[in-house]
């Protein structure tokens, strides 16, 4: 009988990495390198593109608005999601499954479609304004669309599951005996929450905040549809340079700025999630 | 007690906020009126208009083709990647490597789109392939985004399984390729299915990467919807949206069901553990 060398699955599977390795370099590392290169070397080497960006108040305003709006969306998501995740985490196993499925359906529903729904709801004579006027809450239709309010509401709705899932993950992993110990020792519910529950849920808060903020900073569809000219975000600006003015070097320089910001935030997210096992922990998937 | 009531109310309000736009679309897709503000009775009329719109149907067909092709490609590459990552053990720079594999998951779509656009333009200039931009470049772009998602799913599945079955097969002189084909792959089947569905859904949903990497004459469904959306609202798109929401819910339920059989399959671990003790 022919004898083959005994191999271990670990080392033996190294050859499996060849195809993904090539694919990964060709379609991820190399293209990203090209973006950075274009931003620095086109039309000629130097920081010319970056100087153009920094010298223009429009660009600065877009950058400032992008980060401010991402911060606002993140804060709103956290405020809405924390009590939701808290309530879900205290539910029984069956209820939790149902509750999660309810969160996941909008999560997987196309961003274009949900943005479209908001734009229809928020029209001057859309359903929201009709209801508000009929109920006598306002006399005149409120302007929800082509301004900051619309972008804020739309993005918060779309990114909310990204906050609920990591929060829930951290809350489910919490050691319940610590809470009971505090109760037994006579702490009132508020004190238990502030001194035990809140600190223990912080890894989830950090992960959720970073995840929502990263996604919000690079958001395109919702600000492009629900925002006006004053609500331009960096992704929309990049798209305009690519498809309309065909200024690819400037678009690349802007994309590099976005890339650096995203990378730094992602590294922070990696550190934060190592402790709670990622966004899709045992419960979320 | 009232605290619990308030929390439950908050939960329901949160759900209502998540579902408000979706419920609105579904309800008004059955509205028998051109204007979307007032309810004028139940009707299937917009579904009729939708299925008579050839441009939309063509875009939908193109999107389905791209989604199937890119999901299949991403599943092949992503599975190899996930298996190698889960089974390779520790090596220097492992943390950085893991972070790099998962990075496409959080990379803003405009950056992915721009970088792939530059890549395809450069490839066209250098090799003449892929000539121009169209369905092929969108398929490659979607596959390259989805690989990371498939790898994460496959890896999570393998992380929950001990390698003893593979080790046993190796001890019995099966070469790596055979172990992979006859032991690892069958164990992975549920993860492959959910990874494929994930990649399929991502491709069907994407508008940004597609519009960057597509060319004239190859508009995917989200691209067409997005351009119609900028012009104003028509109830025909509500009907389309309703169908898409139904499809997403069906795919999601299928995925959850697969995950359940995943969980059932990991109940097979005691058997594997037993084999390890022999």
């Amino acid at each position: 009988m022919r004898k083959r060398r005994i191999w271990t699955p670990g080392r033996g599977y190294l050859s499996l990495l060849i195809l993904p390795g090539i694919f990964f370099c060709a379609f991820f590392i190399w293209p990203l390198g090209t973006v950075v290169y274009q931003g620095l070397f086109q039309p000629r080497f130097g920081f010319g593109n970056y100087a153009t960006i920094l010298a223009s108040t429009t660009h600065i305003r877009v950058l400032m608005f992008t980060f401010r709006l991402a911060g606002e969306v993140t804060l709103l998501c956290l405020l809405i999601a924390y009590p939701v995740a808290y309530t879900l985490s205290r539910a029984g196993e069956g209820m939790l499954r149902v509750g999660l499925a309810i969160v996941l359906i909008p999560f997987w529903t196309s961003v274009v479609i949900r943005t479209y729904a908001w734009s229809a709801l928020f029209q001057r004579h859309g359903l929201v304004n009709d209801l508000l006027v009929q109920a006598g809450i306002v006399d005149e239709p409120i302007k929800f669309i082509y301004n900051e309010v619309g972008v804020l509401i739309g993005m918060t709705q779309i990114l909310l599951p990204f906050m609920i899932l990591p929060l829930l993950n951290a809350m489910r992993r919490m050691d319940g005996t610590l809470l009971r110990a505090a109760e037994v020792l006579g702490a009132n519910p508020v004190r238990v929450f502030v001194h035990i529950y809140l600190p223990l849920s912080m890894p989830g808060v950090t992960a959720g905040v970073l995840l929502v903020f990263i996604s919000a900073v690079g958001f395109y569809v919702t600000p492009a549809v629900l925002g006006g000219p004053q609500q331009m975000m960096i992704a929309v600006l990049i798209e305009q340079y690519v498809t309309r003015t065909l200024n690819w070097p400037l678009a690349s320089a802007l994309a590099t700025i976005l890339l650096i910001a995203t990378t730094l935030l992602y590294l922070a997210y990696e550190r934060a999630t190592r402790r709670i096992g990622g966004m899709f922990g045992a419960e979320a998937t | 007690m009232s605290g619990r009531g308030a929390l439950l109310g908050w939960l329901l309000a949160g759900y209502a906020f998540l579902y408000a736009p979706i419920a609105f679309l579904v309800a008004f897709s059955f509205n028998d009126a051109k204007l979307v503000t007032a309810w004028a009775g139940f009707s299937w009329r917009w579904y009729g208009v939708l299925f008579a719109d050839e441009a939309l149907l063509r875009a939908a067909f193109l999107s389905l083709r791209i989604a199937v092709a890119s999901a299949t490609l991403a599943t092949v590459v992503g599975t190899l990647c996930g298996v190698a990552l889960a089974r390779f053990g520790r090596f220097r720079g492992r943390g950085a490597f893991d972070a790099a594999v998962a990075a496409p998951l959080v990379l803003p779509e405009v950056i992915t789109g721009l970088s792939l656009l530059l890549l395809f333009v450069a490839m066209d200039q250098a090799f003449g392939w892929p000539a121009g931009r169209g369905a092929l470049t969108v398929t490659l772009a979607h596959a390259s985004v989805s690989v990371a998602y498939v790898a994460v799913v496959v890896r999570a599945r393998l992380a929950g399984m001990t390698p003893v079955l593979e080790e046993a097969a190796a001890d019995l002189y099966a070469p790596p390729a055979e172990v992979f084909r006859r032991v690892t792959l069958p164990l992975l089947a549920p993860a492959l299915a959910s990874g494929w569905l994930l990649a399929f859904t991502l491709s069907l949903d994407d508008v940004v990467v597609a519009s960057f990497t597509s060319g004239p004459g190859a508009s995917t469904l989200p691209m067409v919807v997005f351009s119609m959306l900028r012009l104003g609202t028509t109830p025909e798109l509500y009907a389309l949206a309703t169908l898409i929401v139904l499809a997403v819910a069906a795919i999601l339920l299928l995925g959850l069901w697969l995950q359940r059989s995943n969980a059932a399959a990991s109940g097979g671990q005691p058997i594997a553990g037993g084999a390890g003790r022999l």
Side-chain angles (χ1 to χ4, degrees):
Chain A
M1 191 181 169
R2 225 159 15 111
K3 275 228 161 186
R4 293 194 189 94
R5 197 168 66 87
I6 295 179
W7 58 287
T8 62
R11 297 282 154 189
Y13 279 169
L14 183 59
S15 56
L16 290 181
L17 268 178
I18 296 171
L19 180 63
I22 295 171
F23 194 86
F24 192 65
C25 290
F27 289 101
F28 187 66
I29 305 286
W30 171 254
L32 279 187
T34 322
V35 171
V36 176
Y37 175 88
Q38 281 256 338
L40 271 179
F41 287 87
Q42 299 289 333
R44 69 195 73 80
F45 173 70
F47 290 92
N49 291 315
Y50 293 93
T52 312
I53 292 168
L54 290 178
S56 132
T57 48
T58 323
H59 289 131
I60 299 287
R61 211 190 56 222
V62 168
L63 284 173
M64 302 273 282
F65 178 77
T66 303
F67 286 99
R68 182 166 63 81
L69 192 84
E72 288 169 7
V73 168
T74 309
L75 197 64
L76 260 179
C77 279
L78 183 62
L79 287 178
I80 299 173
Y82 199 95
V84 169
Y86 178 84
T87 316
L88 277 180
S89 74
R90 310 229 105 183
E93 205 54 48
M95 272 304 293
L96 182 74
R97 273 188 167 278
V98 175
L100 258 177
I102 294 177
V103 174
L104 285 173
I105 289 178
F107 182 67
W108 284 115
T109 301
S110 149
V111 173
V112 177
I113 286 177
R114 281 189 280 162
T115 304
Y116 179 60
W118 283 119
S119 93
L121 277 170
F122 281 160
Q123 296 295 324
R124 195 179 151 78
H125 294 290
L127 197 63
V128 171
N129 266 324
D130 272 13
L131 288 178
L132 285 178
V133 173
Q134 271 167 26
I137 297 171
V138 293
D139 298 329
E140 278 287 297
I142 303 176
K143 200 168 177 324
F144 280 114
I145 200 172
Y146 311 127
N147 61 16
E148 199 175 323
V149 180
V151 183
L152 202 56
I153 295 177
M155 280 176 69
T156 302
Q157 192 258 350
I158 287 162
L159 292 174
L160 194 56
F162 287 90
M163 186 66 87
I164 295 177
L165 295 177
L167 279 178
L168 190 57
N169 197 14
M171 288 171 180
R172 294 286 296 178
R173 279 158 177 264
M174 217 175 264
D175 185 356
T177 53
L178 293 174
L179 302 174
R180 249 166 284 139
E183 275 163 25
V184 168
L185 291 171
N188 63 34
V190 175
R191 228 175 137 183
V192 172
F193 180 80
V194 172
H195 289 282
I196 314 284
Y197 199 92
L198 200 58
L200 283 178
S201 69
M202 276 321 275
V205 173
T206 317
V209 162
L210 286 169
L211 196 61
V212 171
F213 193 82
I214 292 173
S215 314
V217 162
F219 231 66
Y220 171 77
V221 173
T222 312
V225 174
L226 296 179
Q230 295 299 308
Q231 282 74 47
M232 184 170 292
M233 289 182 73
I234 185 165
V236 184
L237 188 64
I238 293 173
E239 191 267 343
Q240 292 206 343
Y241 277 122
V242 172
T243 57
R244 280 178 223 170
T245 47
L246 298 177
N247 191 343
W248 292 2
L250 199 57
S252 298
L254 278 168
T256 308
I257 294 177
L258 182 57
L259 181 65
I260 291 169
T262 308
T263 308
L264 291 177
L265 290 164
Y266 175 59
L267 291 177
Y269 170 78
E270 271 287 301
R271 282 178 66 101
T273 48
R274 210 160 289 162
R275 271 171 292 165
I276 60 160
M279 171 181 160
F280 298 108
E283 286 80 31
T285 41
Chain B
M1 204 56 211
S2 68
R4 287 196 62 161
L7 280 173
L8 203 61
W10 192 274
L11 177 74
L12 294 178
Y15 280 172
F17 178 54
L18 275 177
Y19 276 86
I22 297 169
F24 164 77
L25 284 181
V26 173
F28 276 75
S29 73
F30 297 108
N31 188 16
D32 191 16
K34 180 88 187 133
L35 283 171
V36 293
T37 47
W39 181 255
F42 181 89
S43 139
W44 290 99
R45 146 182 184 201
W46 298 112
Y47 289 86
V49 174
L50 176 69
F51 283 108
D53 188 332
E54 272 190 32
L56 263 185
L57 289 182
R58 211 175 320 118
F61 189 61
L62 178 72
S63 272
L64 281 176
R65 266 172 36 210
I66 289 176
V68 168
S70 71
T72 307
L73 182 58
T75 306
V76 172
V77 181
T79 303
L80 296 178
C81 203
V83 170
L85 281 176
R87 287 293 181 251
F88 193 60
R90 308 199 61 79
F91 56 89
R92 188 187 280 271
R94 171 82 203 229
F97 194 76
D98 288 356
V101 168
L105 270 62
V106 293
L107 198 67
E109 288 163 314
V110 270
I111 298 183
T112 315
L114 173 62
S115 70
L116 290 169
L117 167 67
L118 295 175
L119 173 79
F120 291 136
V121 170
M123 278 169 76
D124 193 5
Q125 278 168 0
F127 320 115
W129 185 90
R133 293 189 296 282
L136 177 65
T137 45
V138 178
T139 307
L140 286 173
H142 281 174
S144 76
V145 176
S146 303
V147 162
Y149 286 86
V150 177
V152 166
V153 172
V154 166
R155 195 179 162 195
R157 162 86 175 147
L158 277 179
M161 301 189 321
T162 64
V164 286
L165 286 180
E166 288 146 322
E167 277 163 13
D171 284 345
L172 295 169
Y173 300 111
E178 205 173 328
V179 176
F180 182 72
R181 190 167 57 82
R182 294 178 57 171
V183 180
T184 312
L185 267 190
L187 286 171
L188 273 178
L192 295 190
S194 46
W196 191 90
L197 282 176
L198 189 57
F200 180 78
T201 318
L202 283 168
S203 169
L204 270 190
D205 263 5
D206 167 72
V207 62
V208 180
V209 174
S211 32
F212 274 68
T213 52
S214 184
S219 294
T220 64
L221 187 63
M223 285 168 69
V224 173
V225 171
F226 188 61
S227 59
M228 286 170 89
L229 194 156
R230 285 182 145 175
L231 297 176
T233 60
T234 82
E236 176 192 355
L237 287 183
Y238 293 16
L240 178 68
T242 303
L243 293 180
I244 293 180
V245 169
L246 277 179
V248 165
I251 290 178
L252 190 75
L253 288 177
L254 186 64
L256 283 180
W257 182 74
L258 285 170
Q259 295 276 356
R260 273 186 57 156
S261 41
N262 246 355
S266 55
Q269 264 181 18
I271 304 168
R277 266 194 299 278
L278 281 171

